[in-house]
């Protein structure tokens, strides 16, 4: 592994020893994966893959284990590790994909199974630029910055939408998802956040705007790695969500659970400039 940069931080191979002197958060998974962190330093040890030391929002040391999955290592760097890096800077990301549509930055978030990936791919197929997939770092100025994370997509979704997977790699050796390279994109000011939800009782696509308190709660719950953030930076992440709720339009797009039109959903999101939600 060579030295490179991630979100402006130096990423280098080496021994990832040390860690916080007085950790405020310690967590161990059944497979032995362990996180030990305080607000400034984190040691993240992923069983069989690598150990990461993240320091002061500026440095990441990666100690790869022999025989570890290199695809999983890359996915971890662009996932939990970047969430720790940003948190140490008191910056956070939405668990959302962001597109640039008609010059506006629109983040699409929602629970697992809501159809986020399918919708974002449909938006891209309609000519809108994908800025980030699944993880959208949002600065204090409300700008989403891409950071090299690949597009993750299920094979059946790619096939249904005619996505070219000739350059695809696995997300990791144990994951069936494809990892597709995303072309370079410029940062974009975030104008809207759309929360996609599925409702078994719905018979059509509905578009609604939450009130300010609901918007703060929606943004907070959809902060990337929300449970971890609340252990390490609870007041900071709440302030971030409250500030973001005052900067962007938020909307809830409800679609039927059984049968739904991804084209209809994508068209509503892509034409959010014409939909008064704020």
């Amino acid at each position: 592994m060579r030295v490179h940069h991630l979100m402006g931080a130096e990423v280098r191979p080496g021994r990832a020893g040390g860690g916080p002197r007085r950790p405020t958060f310690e967590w161990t998974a059944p497979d032995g994966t362990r996180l030990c962190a305080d607000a400034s330093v984190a040691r993240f040890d992923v069983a069989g893959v690598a150990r990461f030391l993240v320091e002061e929002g500026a440095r990441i040391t990666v100690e790869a284990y022999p025989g570890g999955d290199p695809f999983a290592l890359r996915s971890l760097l662009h996932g939990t590790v970047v969430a720790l890096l940003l948190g140490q800077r008191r910056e956070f990301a939405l668990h959302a994909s962001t597109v640039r549509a008609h010059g506006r930055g629109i983040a699409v978030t929602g629970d697992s199974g809501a159809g986020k990936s399918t919708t974002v791919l449909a938006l891209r197929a309609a000519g809108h630029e994908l800025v980030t997939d699944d993880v959208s770092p949002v600065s204090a100025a409300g700008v989403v910055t891409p950071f090299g994370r690949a597009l993750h997509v299920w094979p059946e979704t790619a096939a249904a939408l005619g996505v070219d997977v000739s350059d695809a790699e696995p997300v990791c050796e144990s994951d069936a998802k494809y990892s597709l390279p995303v072309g370079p994109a410029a940062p974009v000011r975030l104008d809207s956040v759309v929360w996609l939800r599925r409702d078994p009782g719905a018979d059509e696509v509905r578009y609604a705007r939450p009130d300010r308190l609901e918007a703060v709660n929606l943004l907070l719950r959809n902060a990337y790695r929300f449970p971890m953030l609340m252990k390490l930076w609870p007041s900071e992440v709440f302030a971030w969500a409250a500030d973001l709720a005052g900067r962007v339009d938020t909307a809830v797009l409800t679609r039927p659970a059984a049968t739904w039109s991804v084209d209809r959903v994508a068209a509503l999101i892509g034409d959010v400039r014409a939909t008064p939600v704020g």
Side-chain angles (χ1 to χ4, degrees):
M1 178 183 175
R2 61 182 178 83
V3 176
H4 65 283
H5 290 82
L6 177 65
M7 296 294 296
E10 184 180 77
V11 182
R12 62 168 58 246
R15 187 174 181 279
R21 293 183 177 181
R22 295 181 177 87
T24 55
F25 179 46
E26 295 185 83
W27 168 82
T28 303
D31 68 354
T33 294
R34 186 167 185 264
L35 174 63
C36 179
D38 63 16
S40 300
V41 179
R43 188 179 67 246
F44 183 40
D45 194 340
V46 182
V49 179
R51 178 184 293 164
F52 304 88
L53 183 65
V54 188
E55 301 173 280
E56 306 292 344
R59 298 177 301 280
I60 302 170
T61 305
V62 181
E63 183 179 351
Y65 292 139
D69 179 358
F71 301 115
L73 191 156
R74 178 183 61 190
S75 182
L76 290 162
L77 268 176
H78 290 97
T80 299
V81 172
V82 84
L84 289 164
L85 180 77
L86 289 170
Q88 291 172 1
R89 300 173 181 174
R90 309 310 188 260
E91 295 181 353
F92 306 98
L94 282 169
H95 193 173
S97 297
T98 298
V99 297
R100 191 192 317 268
H102 310 294
R104 293 171 58 88
I106 305 172
V108 182
T109 186
D111 295 334
S112 178
K116 299 187 299 295
S117 297
T118 303
T119 300
V120 168
L121 283 169
L123 284 163
R124 191 173 76 156
H128 302 304
E129 182 184 25
L130 177 64
V131 179
T132 62
D133 177 58
D134 200 46
V135 182
S136 294
V138 185
S139 72
V143 173
V144 174
T145 303
F147 62 103
R149 181 182 168 96
L151 172 64
H152 296 177
V153 58
W154 290 105
E156 55 269 27
T157 301
L161 294 175
V163 176
D164 180 8
V165 296
S166 57
D167 293 332
E169 295 177 332
V171 171
C172 64
E173 292 174 352
S174 60
D175 195 327
K177 277 187 176 180
Y178 290 138
S179 175
L180 294 168
V182 178
V188 63
R189 184 173 67 88
L190 186 61
D191 293 293
S192 302
V193 177
V194 178
W195 186 53
L196 184 61
R197 65 183 292 266
R198 59 198 296 270
D199 179 2
D203 55 8
E204 63 179 0
V205 178
R206 301 193 303 269
Y207 202 80
R209 183 190 178 200
D211 63 30
R212 178 67 179 273
L213 184 60
E214 291 171 329
V216 172
N217 186 49
L218 185 154
L219 294 168
L220 188 63
R221 288 188 292 111
N222 287 283
Y224 187 70
R225 295 294 187 257
F226 169 67
M228 178 184 76
L229 302 183
M230 290 301 291
K231 295 290 186 179
L232 291 167
W233 306 283
S235 60
E236 292 90 344
V237 72
F238 183 84
W240 170 84
D243 179 72
L244 191 58
R247 290 177 178 271
V248 303
D249 294 332
T250 55
V252 177
L253 197 156
T254 302
R255 58 93 168 171
T259 58
W260 66 294
S261 168
V262 64
D263 293 332
R264 169 66 174 153
V265 170
L268 274 172
I269 294 173
D271 202 32
V272 72
R273 62 175 182 164
T275 308
V277 295

